[in-house]
Amino acid sequence: MTRTRRALALAVLPATLLLSGCFAPSGQSTGTGGNGDDRVSIAMLQPPRSGLSPLSDDAFKLSRWATAETLVVLNDAGEAVPALATEWKRSNSTTWHFTIRSGVRFHNGKELSAATVVNSLQHAIKATPLPRILDGVDMKVRAEGNQVAISTAKPDPLLPHRLSSPQLAILDTAAYTGKTVNPVGTGSGPFELVKVNGVVGATLNRFDGYWGTPAKAGGVDVAFVPDGTARAAALRTGEADIVEAIPAGQAASIDKDLIVEVPMPRTNTLYLNTKAGPFADPAVRAAAREAVDRAAIVQSVYEGRADVAQGLLGPALPWAAGGREDAEYRKLLAARPAPAKVKGVKITLGTFTDRAELPEVAVMLEQQLEAAGFVVQQDVREYQFIEADALAGKFDAFILSRATVLDSGDPVAYLASDFSCKGGFSISQLCTPEVDRAIAAASEAEAGDARRRATMLAEAHVLATDAAIPMLHERVIQGETSGVENAARDPRERILVTGETRVNAAK
């Protein structure tokens, strides 16, 4: 579809898309590099929740739009590779030195320096709430010439991986004003964020001062479209070039050539409140665990486009399955308490509408739990209106679609955030010495087989509490029109467009 045809099409958008959000008006490309001014339009799942602050989950939008960058990125194998840092070395057990790339300018023209890096990292360290990636990490940073020294109170074998988190993106100092962080014009990626229209959309233009190869597309136009049916319609009609998170129930109605399906490290989990209410009793949690029919949910709600969960970590981490054969792992799960016999036990079940499948999962879970003797009251809202209550422990049970290696490329950070006593995302309100020790052991283990085994034992300790009941592992169902070239297909959900992404209008 040409840009002229697209402009006409936007005037007659389907009502569902108009209700959910519309594409930002195409910005005027600042590009002069001869790469063409064709723009890429994206329909995204969730609007910003924190003003696009990189210190929140909104950081992953900045990363997916290729506008904010980190010192380190992860390759397809999950290994740390250079980005704004060109190299690094471990000076001692607790200190690393990162060499800062020269010749990098932010979108406002200011130059990247070690001092700029320290400023961004210090804001992350002092942020409230603390970015999840820094949960349990006592980190200090200082500039030393063109290097940044980063030290931790305890040895952190995966510090470079940790620094790849979009929540530790490096912005110019002008982005930080008081308690707010404004990424408009202060990133360093191939696309400059020039306009944010609240929860409706955003506009980015190609940045020809980029330190790498300038982007091939003239810009990116983003629409926030929480309604899954509307996103699917945008793909079918060509209103969006790239569409996030096509609902499984919509995929069958879309030309299969427009669908890309990739197993991802995202687990649909039922979190149980271990601190208060009926699920404070381990035997009652065990009854809920036994009531869940995972296969039925996969076949009915996801139409087979998901994998039945065997644990918290799924097939996107192929070593996880082997770890469950470990004798100690199996012993821990065998020691779980027997299910209680429940009758008329009232529970509240929460989830959110932003992922189209979750309300349907809630309906099936209600049926399964009530068949086991529970009485279920549902509470389903948009995520931005329910997250605070979930984290405050106001539900007995909560269904969450959770990325397990989103932050550092390593699942230990997720385990610490969700299940340790000091975790910042503890929906299950879990706090036990055994789980904390297991997670600490995994955190301290060196990369490789030792760390993987420790990680699996930490998973076993969590599962042994029945604080979380993993149900299924999702797959990325991403939509791309026929003219899209080089869209990122990232199971970690960190990248969506890159400097190589463009739309070939001739197709």
Side-chain angles (χ1 to χ4, degrees), residues 70-403:
T70 50
L71 293 179
V72 175
V73 294
L74 301 180
N75 63 16
D76 291 343
E79 300 164 333
V81 296
L84 294 182
T86 57
E87 60 182 359
W88 50 89
K89 63 180 181 179
R90 197 171 187 174
S91 308
N92 55 52
S93 63
T94 59
T95 303
W96 300 68
H97 282 79
F98 293 79
T99 301
I100 305 306
R101 187 180 296 276
S102 61
V104 175
R105 291 194 176 275
F106 293 102
H107 299 146
N108 60 7
K110 300 293 182 61
E111 188 172 356
L112 174 71
S113 67
T116 313
V117 172
V118 168
N119 181 70
S120 287
L121 295 180
Q122 286 282 22
H123 275 87
I125 292 169
K126 295 178 180 179
T128 303
L130 192 69
R132 286 194 311 268
I133 192 63
L134 296 180
D135 276 345
V137 179
D138 182 3
M139 192 168 82
K140 296 181 180 179
V141 296
R142 65 181 184 276
E144 295 182 358
N146 71 331
Q147 292 188 329
V148 172
I150 303 178
S151 60
T152 53
K154 298 178 181 179
D156 188 354
L158 292 188
L159 182 64
H161 293 71
R162 195 179 298 279
L163 294 174
S164 73
S165 169
Q167 291 186 321
L168 299 184
I170 307 303
L171 301 180
D172 181 56
T173 54
Y176 303 90
T177 305
K179 295 183 179 181
T180 64
V181 186
N182 183 5
V184 175
T186 55
S188 62
F191 292 106
E192 177 186 356
L193 180 61
V194 296
K195 182 180 179 181
V196 180
N197 187 8
V199 297
V200 176
T203 303
L204 300 96
N205 291 337
R206 183 173 67 235
F207 178 58
D208 282 332
Y210 183 54
W211 59 267
T213 303
K216 291 182 177 180
V220 179
D221 298 312
V222 179
F224 304 120
V225 188
D227 185 85
T229 302
R231 288 197 308 281
L235 178 64
R236 281 193 296 266
T237 60
E239 309 305 339
D241 299 313
I242 303 173
V243 178
E244 268 194 330
I246 297 291
Q250 294 287 324
S253 66
I254 299 173
D255 184 340
K256 62 181 178 61
D257 292 334
L258 304 182
I259 295 290
V260 180
E261 194 170 330
V262 182
M264 65 189 304
R266 177 175 285 277
T267 304
N268 189 317
T269 302
L270 178 65
Y271 287 75
L272 303 181
N273 188 335
T274 63
K275 188 176 181 180
F279 291 128
D281 183 343
V284 178
R285 297 198 296 271
R289 181 232 309 155
E290 290 299 306
V292 176
D293 186 341
R294 299 166 172 83
I297 294 171
V298 168
Q299 290 303 316
S300 177
V301 178
Y302 289 82
E303 300 184 3
R305 297 177 183 267
D307 300 291
V308 174
Q310 304 300 320
L312 296 167
L313 308 179
L317 298 174
W319 47 266
R324 296 188 183 103
E325 298 302 316
D326 184 278
E328 187 175 351
Y329 183 104
R330 299 174 73 169
K331 182 179 179 181
L332 286 166
L333 264 62
R336 289 182 293 189
K341 292 183 178 180
V342 297
K343 183 177 181 180
V345 175
K346 296 181 179 180
I347 60 171
T348 55
L349 173 65
T351 193
F352 50 98
T353 59
D354 304 55
R355 289 188 175 271
E357 298 86 1
L358 295 189
E360 296 183 58
V361 173
V363 171
M364 284 204 71
L365 269 181
E366 178 180 352
Q367 295 170 352
Q368 293 173 1
L369 290 168
E370 290 194 335
F374 292 96
V375 177
V376 180
Q377 179 181 348
Q378 286 193 45
D379 187 345
V380 181
R381 313 174 217 160
E382 284 188 32
Y383 188 82
Q384 62 178 324
F385 300 123
I386 204 169
E387 180 189 51
D389 285 346
L391 292 175
K394 293 186 178 180
F395 297 99
D396 297 313
F398 194 83
I399 305 167
L400 182 70
S401 174
R402 180 73 162 105

